[in-house]
């Protein structure tokens, strides 16, 4: 099995260090996935640009976490599922909704359900959403701009999900209780 380094600010390639500084400021620490990503300055810098834009968009942090957790489950990314479960609970998403998403079901809250359904559909269909899918999302009270914004969130999380699947970073202690295994 291949092993990938989990860089720190001291060991990362020079071109990755500004991105790591920004992510450390955002999270208060450097997640292992970020340390692994920093092996490629191109990858970590792409993630950072998307991350910054996604978190400045029109969705609340809980709504973003619904999409990110849905994406992690849909992509079966174990590290990302543990991490986004932790963050979703921290953002006040009801535990029953978090467990529903982790189980491949929709959350009970209608807008969260619409976001989760759209995110899962985009991934499963490789972006080939039907007109009915578009209309259902819009009927839930979101705008066309927000449908397109979900694509940016999916793109950001795909970077993390795929990196986690390739590099298999250790899940940090605070997230370990939310470990998930594909069945």
């Amino acid at each position: 099995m291949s092993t990938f380094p989990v860089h720190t600010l001291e060991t990362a390639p020079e071109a990755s260090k500004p991105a790591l500084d920004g992510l450390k400021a955002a999270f208060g620490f450097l997640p292992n996935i970020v340390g692994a990503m920093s092996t490629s300055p191109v990858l970590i810098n792409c993630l950072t640009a998307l991350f910054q834009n996604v978190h400045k968009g029109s969705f609340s942090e809980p709504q973003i976490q619904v999409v990110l957790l849905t994406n992690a489950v849909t992509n079966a990314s174990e590290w990302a599922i543990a991490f986004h479960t932790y963050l979703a609970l921290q953002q006040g998403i009801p535990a029953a909704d978090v467990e529903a998403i982790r189980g491949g079901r929709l959350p009970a809250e209608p807008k969260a359900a619409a976001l989760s359904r759209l995110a899962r559909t985009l991934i499963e269909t490789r972006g080939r959403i039907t007109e009915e899918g578009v209309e259902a999302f819009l009927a839930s009270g979101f705008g066309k701009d927000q449908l397109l914004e979900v694509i940016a969130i999916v793109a950001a999380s795909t970077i993390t999900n795929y990196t986690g699947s390739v590099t298999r970073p250790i899940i940090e202690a605070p997230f370990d209780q939310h470990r998930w295994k594909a069945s």
Side-chain angles (χ1 to χ4, degrees):
M1 176 174 167
S2 298
T3 57
F4 286 81
V6 175
H7 287 288
T8 65
L9 281 168
E10 293 75 32
T11 66
E14 223 31 64
S16 294
K17 290 181 179 182
L20 292 181
D21 280 330
L23 291 167
K24 183 176 182 181
F27 291 118
F29 71 103
L30 283 179
N32 287 338
I33 194 94
V34 170
M37 271 185 217
S38 69
T39 299
S40 168
V42 170
L43 182 64
I44 194 67
N45 286 305
C46 285
L47 173 74
T48 303
L50 273 171
F51 176 84
Q52 289 170 344
N53 282 294
V54 161
H55 290 278
K56 290 179 188 173
S58 68
F59 293 112
S60 68
E61 284 302 314
Q63 289 173 322
I64 292 169
Q65 287 307 317
V66 164
V67 175
L68 295 174
L69 181 57
T70 299
N71 297 345
V73 170
T74 306
N75 286 318
S77 177
E78 295 175 9
W79 186 92
I81 293 168
F83 182 67
H84 290 296
T85 296
Y86 174 86
L87 292 179
L89 293 168
Q90 290 281 319
Q91 287 294 325
I93 297 172
D97 282 353
V98 171
E99 283 309 308
I101 295 168
R102 285 172 56 100
R105 299 178 311 280
L106 294 175
E109 197 279 312
K111 285 200 158 216
L115 283 166
S116 186
R117 181 183 299 110
L118 177 63
R120 185 173 54 211
T121 300
L122 285 169
I123 293 168
E124 289 175 345
T125 67
R126 294 181 177 97
R128 291 178 183 88
I129 189 168
T130 64
E131 189 61 35
E132 292 82 16
V134 169
E135 292 305 320
F137 182 75
L138 298 176
S140 71
F142 292 112
K144 290 180 180 178
D145 59 324
Q146 291 176 306
L147 190 150
L148 296 175
E149 190 175 328
V150 170
I151 294 170
I153 301 170
V154 169
S157 66
T158 299
I159 291 172
T160 304
N161 295 174
Y162 287 12
T163 301
S165 294
V166 170
T167 65
R168 301 193 181 284
I170 293 170
I171 296 173
E172 293 90 333
F175 320 128
D176 194 56
Q177 66 181 330
H178 304 296
R179 187 176 291 272
W180 179 93
K181 282 280 189 198
S183 43

